[in-house]
Amino acid sequence: MRKPNWQSEGEDPDYRFTLANERTFLAWIRTALALLAGGVLLFEFAQQIGPRVVVLILALGLAVVAAVLGGLSYVRWRGNEIAMRTGRPLPRSLAIPLLSTIALLAAAVIAVLILVSG
């Protein structure tokens, strides 16, 4: 596999930092997979809560968020690697507040759907 150009920049960071960055990347991927699984579960098994169209939109929304988060996790990993190689501060990311807001909204919608259906 060809080595990306950015991996030739700067100096190789301590392998422990590289491995920690990789573990963080994998945690973001697991979060994306969990969101995707939640969307699939809603679509398949949430037959009795709320209007079906709302559940469908929520499930589709979770799937889209999972896809976006998967892409953002790579961008974040790569940015951290470049920052470590060049001695710059780690880049800030909108992924954390965005993910928190989406999780809050999804949970609120599901709670309302359960209350309305019960």
Side-chain angles (χ1 to χ4, degrees), residues 4 29 46 60 62 68 71-72 93 98 104 115:
I29 294 296
L60 184 60
L62 288 174
V68 169
L72 282 176
S93 174
L98 182 65
L104 175 72
L115 284 173

Side-chain angles (χ1 to χ4, degrees), residues 41-54:
L41 286 171
L42 271 173
F43 179 74
E44 289 295 325
F45 300 112
Q47 305 292 330
Q48 299 172 0
I49 64 168
R52 184 72 179 148
V53 69
V54 175

